[in-house]
Amino acid sequence: MTTGQHRAAQPETGPQDEERLPTIAEQMADQLGGWRGLVESSIPVVVFVVANIIGELRPAVIASVAVALLIAGLRLAQRRPIRHAVNGLFGVAIGAAMAWRSGEERDFYLPGILYGIGYGVALLVSAAVRQPLVGWIWSVLVAKGRSEWRHDPKLVRTFTQLTVLWGVVWLAKVGVQAGLYLAHQDTALGVARLVLGFPPYALLLLITVWTVRRVTREPQPAPVPGA
């Protein structure tokens, strides 16, 4: 096999891969919804925190849900992708319902805490059984459903390490929120929800995209003639 043939058999290291795979910025923008997605997903929580500080719980709940509905409606009217808006609306609606029923503002954040715990545990378990979730998510979102990485020990190891990183960071940040929840530090919990929301997610996503692209672009060893 010639060197040119070998390179053709490895599209992940050739120029075609540069055209096929979106850039790091494009992948991050898609997952985060761009700056607009970041802002829109945070607005209902900000509204709830501010309205609850200056007013009462139930008006704050109504205001946050109304803003989430408005954001989703605007995106729909503008024929923009509503995935991020719907996800935010779903989370706000559940938290609002729980806070409304219990009469405690801290319950507005409880669904996010429980989701974070479940997600963090699932990540670590998947890494332990050598089925790293980050790898499978990469297959769906970036590799168009392909899962050749399962047959590459280096990529399996990379995705496993990244999955552990995601799981540890996720449990750490949700642990902070859980501690504030149990301590009835409602306002601090709202601030922590915002600060520990997208910034760690964006950093983890950047590390993941950069690491995987670096590994897949590493040149493969040339075959030994006659081997």
Side-chain angles (χ1 to χ4, degrees):
M1 181 182 295
T2 66
T3 303
Q5 290 174 325
H6 177 68
R7 288 178 179 172
Q10 300 291 338
E12 67 275 13
T13 60
Q16 292 181 350
D17 184 62
E18 298 290 339
E19 300 176 357
R20 178 175 59 79
L21 283 177
T23 65
I24 292 178
E26 290 171 339
Q27 292 176 50
M28 290 194 65
D30 178 67
Q31 293 309 303
L32 296 174
W35 286 110
R36 177 171 176 171
L38 286 172
V39 172
E40 289 179 348
S41 63
S42 301
I43 287 177
V45 179
V46 173
V47 169
F48 177 83
V49 173
V50 174
N52 190 61
I53 290 175
I54 64 179
E56 297 181 353
L57 172 62
R58 294 198 171 185
V61 169
I62 294 173
S64 64
V65 173
V67 168
L69 285 170
L70 178 61
I71 291 172
L74 286 175
R75 271 195 168 267
L76 190 61
Q78 295 171 353
R79 297 183 179 181
R80 292 177 175 270
I82 61 172
R83 172 166 58 97
H84 299 284
V86 169
N87 290 341
L89 176 60
F90 183 72
V92 168
I94 294 179
M98 295 184 67
W100 186 281
R101 183 174 181 179
S102 68
E104 295 193 31
E105 60 187 87
R106 64 179 185 147
D107 286 339
F108 180 84
Y109 310 103
L110 184 57
I113 293 174
L114 296 177
Y115 166 80
I117 293 173
Y119 187 54
V121 170
L123 283 164
L124 295 181
V125 170
S126 73
V129 299
R130 302 287 289 176
Q131 294 291 334
L133 273 178
V134 172
W136 290 112
I137 294 172
W138 180 274
S139 294
V140 173
L141 299 180
V142 179
K144 300 180 180 180
R146 297 189 304 275
S147 57
E148 288 89 346
W149 62 270
R150 288 295 305 158
H151 308 292
D152 186 335
K154 192 171 188 177
L155 274 176
V156 171
R157 183 169 60 254
T158 297
F159 279 126
T160 299
Q161 293 169 347
L162 288 169
T163 299
V164 171
L165 175 64
W166 275 79
V168 170
V169 171
W170 219 262
L171 289 178
K173 74 172 192 171
V174 82
V176 172
Q177 296 177 59
L180 293 172
Y181 177 87
L182 295 175
H184 292 263
Q185 298 295 319
D186 300 335
T187 302
L189 178 55
V191 174
R193 167 72 176 271
L194 295 172
V195 174
L196 298 177
F198 275 103
Y201 180 82
L203 179 59
L204 286 171
L205 185 59
L206 176 62
I207 292 172
T208 299
V209 173
W210 180 82
T211 301
V212 176
R213 290 175 69 88
R214 180 179 59 82
V215 171
T216 55
R217 285 175 178 174
E218 288 181 355
Q220 302 294 324
V224 178

